[in-house]
Amino acid sequence: MTAPIVTQVSEEEYFALLKESTEKLEYHGGEVVAMAGAQLPHNLIASNLIASLWNCLREGNCLVLNSDQLVHLVECSKYVFPDLVIVCQAPVLTERYGLDVLENPEIIIEILSDSTELVDRTEKFDCYKQIASVNEYVLVASKKKKVEVYRRTEANEWLLHDYLPQDQTVRIGSCTLLMDDIYRKVDFETRTPAP
């Protein structure tokens, strides 16, 4: 769950707060939002995606970055922590008050939860679309097997491909992942790891 902790601060004040904070803080154009911890299914899915994507991309130039990587959404005056980011070109990092901020994400992955889904689908997606380097936006459900991959076309349109439980594989970037690997050990009923 996210909750605003401070409002109407400058970018400089935000980075000062971020450097001292024990929690992740996002900057939304003057408002600082604390990111709460995630549920177990969310964390398992994130770990599974990192493992599968790293395994697929380990031989090339691509980097798979976890939710500790701060990303700058210039057009929206925001700094956010996506669940996963993939960058295959040389990463463009800007140092902001002693912290590295990624400026050129190529694939952004968000794992949906009750508290973040609306923002991930609307506000954040609207901002991600304005980053020229972003060519895919992936939404991964945490309560059922479903992955939505939005891909940017050459005409700057976004096409959606839904991957549903009956689909055995999911394509993210150049990787073909098994749906079962993405959801490995996720038990939607008990919210504890499946054997």
Side-chain angles (χ1 to χ4, degrees):
M1 186 171 171
T2 59
I5 60 163
V6 180
T7 57
Q8 300 311 308
V9 300
S10 69
E11 206 173 281
E12 184 175 3
E13 290 168 322
Y14 161 69
F15 278 99
L17 286 168
L18 185 60
K19 283 176 68 172
E20 300 299 320
S21 179
T22 57
E23 3 176 35
K24 288 181 188 169
L25 304 175
E26 291 191 340
Y27 182 75
H28 293 243
E31 183 177 83
V32 176
V33 178
M35 306 306 294
Q39 298 293 328
L40 182 62
H42 179 288
N43 294 333
L44 285 170
I45 292 165
S47 295
N48 291 340
L49 281 166
I50 289 170
S52 294
L53 289 166
W54 181 86
N55 190 51
C56 170
L57 299 169
R58 65 185 175 183
E59 298 301 327
N61 295 325
C62 297
L63 302 175
V64 180
L65 305 172
N66 69 16
S67 62
D68 287 332
Q69 182 58 62
L70 191 61
V71 174
H72 188 196
L73 310 180
V74 178
E75 299 296 326
C76 295
S77 300
K78 294 178 188 273
Y79 292 90
V80 298
F81 290 99
D83 289 315
L84 280 86
V85 174
I86 298 172
V87 59
C88 295
Q89 302 297 318
V92 176
L93 297 170
T94 304
E95 185 183 340
R96 298 284 163 92
Y97 308 98
L99 298 171
D100 284 335
V101 180
L102 182 66
E103 304 284 348
N104 66 328
E106 294 173 42
I107 299 173
I108 296 175
I109 302 172
E110 295 284 11
I111 300 165
L112 301 175
S113 65
D114 290 341
S115 62
T116 64
E117 182 169 358
L118 180 61
V119 172
D120 288 341
R121 288 188 178 282
T122 57
E123 186 179 317
K124 280 190 175 179
F125 189 22
D126 287 343
C127 292
Y128 292 150
K129 286 189 278 191
Q130 296 183 53
I131 302 173
S133 60
V134 173
N135 51 48
E136 282 189 24
Y137 182 49
V138 182
L139 296 173
V140 182
S142 63
K143 291 189 166 184
K144 60 184 176 183
K145 286 185 177 181
K146 183 177 181 183
V147 179
E148 301 165 60
V149 179
Y150 292 87
R151 294 184 180 96
R152 190 192 304 259
T153 69
E154 289 184 14
N156 202 31
E157 297 173 337
W158 290 84
L159 297 180
L160 168 63
H161 188 118
D162 277 330
Y163 294 93
L164 303 172
Q166 62 268 27
D167 293 313
Q168 293 184 9
T169 60
V170 174
R171 187 169 65 86
I172 298 176
S174 62
C175 297
T176 299
L177 309 181
L178 294 175
M179 180 74 84
D180 286 346
D181 283 349
I182 294 172
Y183 288 98
R184 185 169 302 283
K185 296 192 178 182
V186 176
D187 185 332
F188 299 108
E189 300 298 321
T190 64
R191 303 182 76 74
T192 59

